[in-house]
């Protein structure tokens, strides 16, 4: 292996540049004044032909990355004799045509110098043969980014070859221009031209994309994303409203406007007016080289620049969730609705239904009173009818609808008369149902009160008072499991998912279905954790679970009431914890006192339930609001 070292000779005089020499081990740099008599004599050097000298200069110039002088030799040098004769007097003898006698090189600023990234360590590393290096390089993983228009010129080619012949190390060598990062700063800083969308909105056309300016706010839109959003019938199917082209095709179509040193042509992107709508007209050239004309109206442009909120974002902003305590929910004036006020001539009143869904979204809990309790079968029950007002029912291994009643040898703790603590349903699913509905068909027992707790409020308190415990339950998660009745399901969730301000924010807590066994990590010196540390770690995790449970158990946090026959409770299963107290059947004296007449074989406490996915409820909420607002504006 050769070890290459760059040695730069000092300048011999002002304005003169000495070339860089590549010197191998055991070799001395040429023209060294301290060399012994073994150095090449002037008479020997004088026999070198001018083309050989020129090639040597070119080679040195290329190695040093400078511009070599023109090939025209000076008249003085051209008259130098190559006979090898020399005079005894050093002052009068002719000097040999050495490299320093050539015309002074004209040095120019290297415009690519700022893109080089090489250290002394890189230059001093051992190199290997090119063939061996290519085999070694083929085993390397691909670069993290790929852009097809990377350019390598001049010294860059030499550096690329050196890079290919380096041994693989823990810190891979990579030039700054190995991965393209888009247009140069000069192209992105100065817009090619500015288009006016409205008196307060302008769009700057740039080499890499568009910038949108409104009231001091600047937002960016790349050409690939702009092409990907073309709304024409050949890109979006007119009836299905689904995309007919892929994002990869959009990327290739946008390359005509996105190459490093090219900008959109003056006529390819202009403002336009289509059917009375102002907007932006763009002429593309697709991958098949066919032209394609896109028109983006002003509303679509604003949406692409994220100046208009999506429906779900608008939902989160216009209906922000409000946390509550038990007392606050008791005083909530919009909690309860009458079934008769919702149903008008056999169909739901859309305005009242919207208020029910808004209550459900903001507080996570809504109650509809007076829902008929007959019939009780799954196909024609009123619970299914109410759910169908909203959307599709979520099906699980319990079925679309299911019954909660006390049965002998039940497979679920909910189907007993025992106390059922605070929990959420089906957390052993990777995507538990978002909303739940429970309709009370029969309640002829003593006890059995239902209570609810806002888990969002509890998580906020837990995070403030126990930041370490909150962090542990977020990082390690909680395991939930169902192993019964021929089914096995298991999933791990963090305590809280997403930002609590998000529409999809969720809390995961269900002690009755928490997995009993967790995998234990081996301990010992080789494992990096001692027995004591492992025990402390486990105790800390359980302390965090106990701390959060204490916050949930605060009596002030509970909203409790006894469900009456006909009550239908809608609640957010990923936010509001629900529970039920223990109950027992009435004795004969209590039945007579309350005037209760039970049918043979009929359960004394009977709830019918079902699940709804979040997207179903949010879809109905968004479209219902949109339709009512459109109707209101039309009537006005």
């Amino acid at each position: 292996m050769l070890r290459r070292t760059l040695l730069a000779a000092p300048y011999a005089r002002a304005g003169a540049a000495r070339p860089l020499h590549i010197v191998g081990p055991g070799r001395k740099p040429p023209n060294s004044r301290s060399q012994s008599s073994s150095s090449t004599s002037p008479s020997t050097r004088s026999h070198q032909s001018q083309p050989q000298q020129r090639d040597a200069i070119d080679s040195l110039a290329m190695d040093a990355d400078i511009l070599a002088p023109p090939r025209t030799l000076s008249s003085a040098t051209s008259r130098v004799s190559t006979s090898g004769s020399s005079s005894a007097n050093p002052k009068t003898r002719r000097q040999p045509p050495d490299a320093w006698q050539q015309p002074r090189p004209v040095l120019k600023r290297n415009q690519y110098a700022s893109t080089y990234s090489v250290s002394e360590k890189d230059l001093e590393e051992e190199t290997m043969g090119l063939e061996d290096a290519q085999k070694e390089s083929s085993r390397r993983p691909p670069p993290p980014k790929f852009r097809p228009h990377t350019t390598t010129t001049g010294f860059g080619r030499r550096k690329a070859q050196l890079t290919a012949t380096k041994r693989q190390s823990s810190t891979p060598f990579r030039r700054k221009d190995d991965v393209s990062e888009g247009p140069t700063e000069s192209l992105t800083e100065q817009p090619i031209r500015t288009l006016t969308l409205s008196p307060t909105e302008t769009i700057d056309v740039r080499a890499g994309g568009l910038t949108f300016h409104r009231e001091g706010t600047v937002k960016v839109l790349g050409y690939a994303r702009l092409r990907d959003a073309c709304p024409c019938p050949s890109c979006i199917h007119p009836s299905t409203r689904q995309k007919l082209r892929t994002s990869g095709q959009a990327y290739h179509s946008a390359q005509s406007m996105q190459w490093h040193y090219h900008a959109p042509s003056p006529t390819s992107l202009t403002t336009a007016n289509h059917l009375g709508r102002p907007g932006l007209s763009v002429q593309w050239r697709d991958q098949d080289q066919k032209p394609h004309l896109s028109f983006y109206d002003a509303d679509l442009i604003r949406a692409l620049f994220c100046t208009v909120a999506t429906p779900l974002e608008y939902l989160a902003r216009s209906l922000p969730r409000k946390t509550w305590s038990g007392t606050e929910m008791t005083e909530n004036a919009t909690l309860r609705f009458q079934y008769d006020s919702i149903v008008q001539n056999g169909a739901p009143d859309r305005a009242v239904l919207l208020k029910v869904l808004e209550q459900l979204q903001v507080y996570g809990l809504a109650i509809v009173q007076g829902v008929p309790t007959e019939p009780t079968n799954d196909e024609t029950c009123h619970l299914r009818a109410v759910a169908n007002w909203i959307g599709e029912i979520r099906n699980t291994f319990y079925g679309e609808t299911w019954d909660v009643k006390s049965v002998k040898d039940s497979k679920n703790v909910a189907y007993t008369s025992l106390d059922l603590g605070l929990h959420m349903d089906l957390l052993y699913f990777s995507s538990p149902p978002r909303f739940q509905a429970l309709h009370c068909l029969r309640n002829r027992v003593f006890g059995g009160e239902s209570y609810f707790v806002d888990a969002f409020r509890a998580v906020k308190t837990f995070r403030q008072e126990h930041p370490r415990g909150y962090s542990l339950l977020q990082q390690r998660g909680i395991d939930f499991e169902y192993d019964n009745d021929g089914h096995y399901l298991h999933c791990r969730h963090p305590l809280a998912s997403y930002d609590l301000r998000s529409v999809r924010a969720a809390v995961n807590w269900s002690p009755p279905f928490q997995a009993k066994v967790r995998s234990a990590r081996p301990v010992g010196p080789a494992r990096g954790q001692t027995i004591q540390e492992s025990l402390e770690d486990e105790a800390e995790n359980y302390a965090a679970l106990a701390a959060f449970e204490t916050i949930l158990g605060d009596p002030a946090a509970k909203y409790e009431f006894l469900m009456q026959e006909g009550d239908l409770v809608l609640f957010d299963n990923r936010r509001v914890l629900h529970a039920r107290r223990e109950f027992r059947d009435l004795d004969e004296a209590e039945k007579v006192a309350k005037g209760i007449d039970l049918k043979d074989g009929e359960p004394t406490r009977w709830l019918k339930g079902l699940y709804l996915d979040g997207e179903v409820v949010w879809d109905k909420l968004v479209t219902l609001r949109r339709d009512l607002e459109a109707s209101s504006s039309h009537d006005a």
Side-chain angles (χ1 to χ4, degrees):
M1 300 294 179
L2 293 178
R3 179 176 295 274
R4 291 189 168 190
T5 307
L6 294 181
L7 300 177
Y11 291 127
R13 60 184 182 273
R18 297 297 302 272
L20 299 178
H21 302 278
I22 299 181
V23 183
R27 296 177 59 187
K28 297 181 180 180
N31 263 356
S32 174
R33 305 242 175 182
S34 61
Q35 287 180 345
S36 65
S37 60
S38 62
S39 302
T40 305
S41 66
S43 61
T44 304
R45 291 196 305 267
S46 64
H47 286 286
Q48 294 177 344
S49 65
Q50 292 182 2
Q52 289 176 336
Q53 298 172 19
R54 180 65 211 187
D55 291 340
I57 293 174
D58 288 348
S59 176
L60 294 173
M62 181 182 69
D63 291 337
D65 196 33
I66 64 174
L67 300 180
R71 286 186 174 269
T72 303
L73 299 177
S74 65
S75 58
T77 307
S78 63
R79 292 193 300 266
V80 173
S81 173
T82 59
S83 61
S85 61
S86 60
S87 172
N89 186 355
K91 294 184 179 180
T92 59
R93 72 180 181 184
R94 287 185 177 181
Q95 297 298 320
D98 207 352
W100 60 269
Q101 291 182 301
Q102 303 302 318
R104 179 179 300 177
V106 179
L107 301 181
K108 297 182 179 179
R109 179 178 176 81
N110 186 351
Q111 58 180 329
Y112 304 106
S114 62
T115 64
Y116 298 164
S117 176
V118 59
S119 65
E120 292 182 13
K121 180 179 178 181
D122 295 321
L123 295 174
E124 292 175 358
E125 277 192 323
E126 291 185 355
T127 60
M128 64 179 73
L130 183 57
E131 295 181 359
D132 294 337
Q134 289 174 344
K135 294 179 182 179
E136 183 78 7
S137 178
S138 64
R139 304 190 192 102
R140 301 179 185 176
K145 296 182 181 179
F146 171 74
R147 296 290 291 274
H149 45 274
T150 302
T151 57
T152 309
T153 58
F155 182 64
R157 283 194 296 268
R158 181 172 181 80
K159 286 295 298 300
Q161 184 177 3
L162 288 175
T163 303
T165 59
K166 284 181 54 183
R167 288 187 184 273
Q168 187 174 2
S169 61
S170 58
T171 306
F173 173 84
R174 185 178 67 181
R175 280 180 42 200
K176 291 182 179 179
D177 60 343
D178 281 345
V179 178
S180 173
E181 300 295 344
T184 59
E185 284 298 317
S186 61
L187 291 179
T188 57
E189 287 180 358
Q190 298 298 328
I192 301 168
R193 63 182 178 281
T194 299
L195 307 175
T196 301
L197 191 63
S198 73
T200 60
E201 298 169 319
T202 59
I203 297 175
D204 284 346
V205 181
R206 301 174 182 272
L210 308 178
T211 52
F212 180 85
H213 302 258
R214 185 174 71 177
E215 299 176 353
T217 302
V218 181
K219 296 193 175 183
V220 178
L221 173 64
Y223 288 122
R225 185 155 63 95
L226 183 66
R227 177 65 183 91
D228 202 24
C230 176
C232 78
S234 62
C235 296
I236 301 292
H237 194 275
S239 62
T240 65
R241 304 302 303 159
Q242 294 173 356
K243 289 177 60 178
L244 300 176
R245 295 177 61 85
T246 67
S247 297
Q249 291 173 318
Y251 171 80
H252 291 296
S253 298
Q255 289 308 291
S256 60
M257 291 188 175
Q258 201 164 301
W259 289 98
H260 256 255
Y261 304 107
H262 296 274
S265 64
T267 59
S268 62
L269 199 151
T270 59
T271 53
N273 194 297
H274 179 66
L275 299 178
R277 297 176 301 163
L280 202 63
S281 177
V282 184
Q283 180 70 54
W284 307 97
R285 185 168 295 278
D286 287 339
Q287 199 171 4
D288 56 7
Q289 299 303 313
K290 294 181 180 180
H292 183 88
L293 182 64
S294 300
F295 176 77
Y296 308 84
D297 63 29
D299 290 339
L300 178 55
I301 290 294
R302 295 185 184 100
L304 291 175
F305 279 106
C306 298
T307 60
V308 180
T310 65
L312 284 185
E313 290 173 342
Y314 175 72
L315 196 66
R317 297 174 188 175
S318 60
L319 295 174
R321 291 189 172 101
K322 297 179 182 179
T323 57
W324 46 268
S325 63
T327 302
E328 291 170 336
M329 185 54 68
T330 302
E331 298 172 351
N332 190 308
T334 60
L335 172 63
R336 297 176 180 271
F337 300 85
Q338 295 299 319
Y339 178 80
D340 292 339
S341 67
I342 300 175
V343 179
Q344 301 292 333
N345 300 322
D349 183 287
R350 296 192 302 168
V352 181
L353 180 60
L354 176 61
K355 291 182 179 180
V356 174
L357 297 181
E358 288 177 343
Q359 166 71 20
L360 180 61
Q361 177 64 23
V362 174
Y363 295 99
L365 182 64
I367 302 173
V368 180
Q369 297 176 313
V371 180
T373 59
E374 296 288 347
T376 61
N377 60 74
D378 293 339
E379 291 74 20
T380 60
C381 64
H382 282 77
L383 173 65
R384 180 181 289 273
V386 172
N388 288 336
W389 296 345
I390 302 172
E392 300 78 13
I393 298 172
R394 166 81 176 265
N395 197 3
T396 68
F397 59 74
Y398 291 115
E400 287 189 338
T401 63
W402 29 267
D403 298 298
V404 181
K405 50 189 176 183
S406 178
V407 296
K408 187 178 181 180
D409 298 327
S410 98
K411 304 299 182 182
N412 192 310
V413 67
Y415 301 158
T416 69
S417 61
L418 301 176
D419 182 274
L420 181 58
L422 289 167
H423 67 283
M424 295 170 173
D425 283 10
L426 306 190
L427 292 189
Y428 36 78
F429 281 69
S430 59
S431 178
R434 182 79 210 199
F435 294 97
Q436 184 175 166
L438 290 173
H439 183 204
C440 181
L441 300 178
R442 304 288 186 270
N443 194 2
R444 301 169 185 180
V445 297
F446 179 83
E449 293 83 3
S450 300
Y451 58 96
F452 302 84
V453 170
D454 186 359
F456 281 10
R457 178 176 180 267
V459 166
K460 289 181 179 179
T461 302
F462 182 55
R463 184 167 52 189
Q464 293 171 357
E465 298 181 357
H466 304 276
R468 170 61 179 168
Y470 172 80
S471 178
L472 285 175
L473 297 185
Q474 285 294 99
Q475 295 174 4
R476 299 177 183 176
I478 306 172
D479 289 276
F480 302 97
E481 183 181 60
Y482 183 84
D483 186 7
N484 205 346
D485 198 24
H487 296 282
Y488 180 79
L489 299 101
H490 177 277
C491 192
R492 177 180 296 178
H493 296 285
L495 177 64
S497 304
Y498 298 97
D499 186 336
L500 294 183
R501 294 170 296 181
S502 168
V503 171
R504 293 184 172 85
V507 174
N508 301 287
W509 186 260
S510 190
F513 300 98
Q514 188 172 330
K516 311 286 189 302
V517 179
R518 292 196 61 172
S519 59
R521 291 177 296 177
V523 297
R527 301 291 180 175
Q529 190 177 41
T530 66
I531 295 177
Q532 183 63 29
E533 289 173 341
S534 180
L535 291 173
E536 292 174 355
D537 188 59
E538 187 172 298
E540 189 177 26
N541 189 75
Y542 271 84
L545 294 171
F548 186 63
E549 185 176 331
T550 300
I551 294 173
L552 293 174
D554 181 5
K558 300 176 182 178
Y559 172 65
E560 183 171 344
F561 72 101
L562 181 64
M563 290 185 69
Q564 303 296 325
E565 294 181 8
D567 286 352
L568 193 156
V569 180
L570 289 163
F571 62 93
D572 188 338
N573 182 58
R574 307 301 305 280
R575 171 188 176 180
V576 176
L577 294 151
H578 62 289
R580 178 209 66 211
R581 300 199 182 278
E582 184 180 3
F583 63 89
R584 62 170 177 80
D585 289 338
L586 299 174
D587 57 28
E588 293 299 326
E590 291 172 329
K591 292 178 184 178
V592 172
K594 294 187 177 182
I596 296 177
D597 184 18
L598 294 177
K599 297 179 180 180
D600 293 339
E602 189 175 70
T604 55
R605 189 179 189 275
W606 185 2
L607 304 181
K608 188 175 285 290
L610 56 78
Y611 299 115
L612 295 168
D613 281 324
E615 284 70 22
V616 172
V617 175
W618 297 325
D619 168 37
K620 189 65 175 180
L621 186 53
V622 168
T623 56
L624 200 55
R625 292 188 71 180
R626 183 185 296 167
D627 293 344
L628 290 174
E629 290 173 357
S631 299
S632 177
S633 61
H634 178 72
D635 295 340

